[in-house]
Amino acid sequence: MKDLFIKRFEYYKSLGDKTFEQLSDEQIFWKYNDESNSIAIIVKHIAGNMLSRWTNFLTEDGEKSWRNRDEEFVNTFTTKKEVLDFWEEGWKCFFDALNQINDDNLYSTLYIRNEPQLVIDAVFRQLAHYPYHIGQIVYIAKMMKNDNWKTLSIARNASQEFNSEMKTQFTETDFDSSSSPVCFQNSPEVRDDYKL
């Protein structure tokens, strides 16, 4: 189970990574309006959540006393490098925690704001939470890059071509029930990597 969790989250992290590669320092900090979040702020929130939720997750409440969630929505970064360093710090903490999950603790109880929940449920919550924000990052970047955006999914008006390629690459006997059904991953090499 742990390996499956890690593979899924690695995929979503890669979407963020590939997005950041396309952006300048200025674009990381761009906001549509005063009520919007920049990509830098979204990263600050994701990584802040990861550090709080997953540091000593089996023995400490996931809402740490040192976390200031409201402050996560105020930009304190000055460079793209600072943003990406914090992104990596959050993911390292999270992946280190996922690597601690095993059959003995998967259904153990942990606490977030004193609310008890199973370890597996806490992971599922983040499987909804982190991709939600990564989707925001990708969408903001697509708006900024416009015609210069390099798609992370099947290119527009290329679905038929993609489907034809997939039919020639994979037969029904190639199907592994644990493989990723993610339709927008168009690299067979990566798709194979997401199989158990």
Side-chain angles (χ1 to χ4, degrees):
M1 185 68 78
K2 168 184 73 176
D3 292 338
L4 182 59
F5 290 152
I6 290 170
K7 287 176 183 180
R8 294 295 176 250
F9 282 105
E10 282 176 341
Y11 172 74
Y12 288 108
K13 179 181 184 294
S14 77
L15 293 180
D17 293 339
K18 290 173 185 175
T19 298
F20 302 141
E21 290 170 6
Q22 300 187 51
L23 300 176
S24 67
D25 279 54
E26 295 76 24
Q27 289 170 325
I28 289 281
F29 296 101
W30 178 83
K31 288 175 30 169
Y32 176 74
N33 59 29
D34 288 341
E35 289 300 309
S36 300
N37 292 318
S38 67
I39 288 172
I41 288 175
I42 296 169
V43 167
K44 189 176 179 186
H45 170 59
I46 293 172
N49 177 281
M50 288 174 169
L51 292 169
S52 181
R53 291 289 183 267
W54 300 101
T55 298
N56 303 323
F57 73 104
L58 292 169
T59 57
E60 297 176 5
D61 192 282
E63 188 67 12
K64 303 295 189 287
S65 59
W66 43 259
R67 184 187 189 200
N68 184 343
R69 185 183 180 280
D70 293 335
E71 186 66 23
E72 291 169 7
F73 296 94
V74 177
N75 181 54
T76 54
F77 298 119
T78 58
T79 66
K80 178 180 177 181
K81 182 182 183 317
E82 289 175 357
V83 175
L84 298 186
D85 286 348
F86 196 54
W87 168 260
E88 293 297 336
E89 182 182 350
W91 281 103
K92 181 182 183 323
C93 176
F94 182 48
F95 284 130
D96 286 349
L98 289 179
N99 273 305
Q100 295 176 49
I101 295 174
N102 56 47
D103 291 341
D104 294 332
N105 63 25
L106 185 61
Y107 292 96
S108 297
T109 301
L110 57 71
Y111 296 87
I112 299 175
R113 298 189 184 97
N114 293 320
E115 176 188 352
Q117 57 196 266
L118 300 179
V119 169
I120 190 171
D121 186 35
V123 174
F124 285 145
R125 284 177 62 165
Q126 300 316 327
L127 192 51
H129 183 203
Y130 300 151
Y132 166 82
H133 287 304
I134 292 166
Q136 292 173 326
I137 289 170
V138 172
Y139 189 73
I140 292 168
K142 279 183 74 168
M143 287 192 298
M144 282 189 287
K145 298 299 288 185
N146 198 16
D147 291 339
N148 295 320
W149 172 252
K150 295 182 185 89
T151 187
L152 307 179
S153 60
I154 300 169
R156 187 174 291 189
N157 298 318
S159 295
Q160 292 290 358
E161 179 183 336
F162 176 78
N163 290 342
S164 294
E165 288 176 22
M166 295 303 292
K167 285 180 183 176
T168 60
Q169 290 178 17
F170 297 98
T171 65
E172 198 164 317
T173 57
D174 291 329
F175 179 74
D176 177 349
S177 63
S178 65
S179 66
S180 174
V182 180
C183 66
F184 42 78
Q185 181 50 262
N186 57 7
S187 167
E189 293 78 23
V190 175
R191 291 177 79 89
D192 287 343
D193 186 50
Y194 283 84
K195 294 180 180 178
L196 284 177

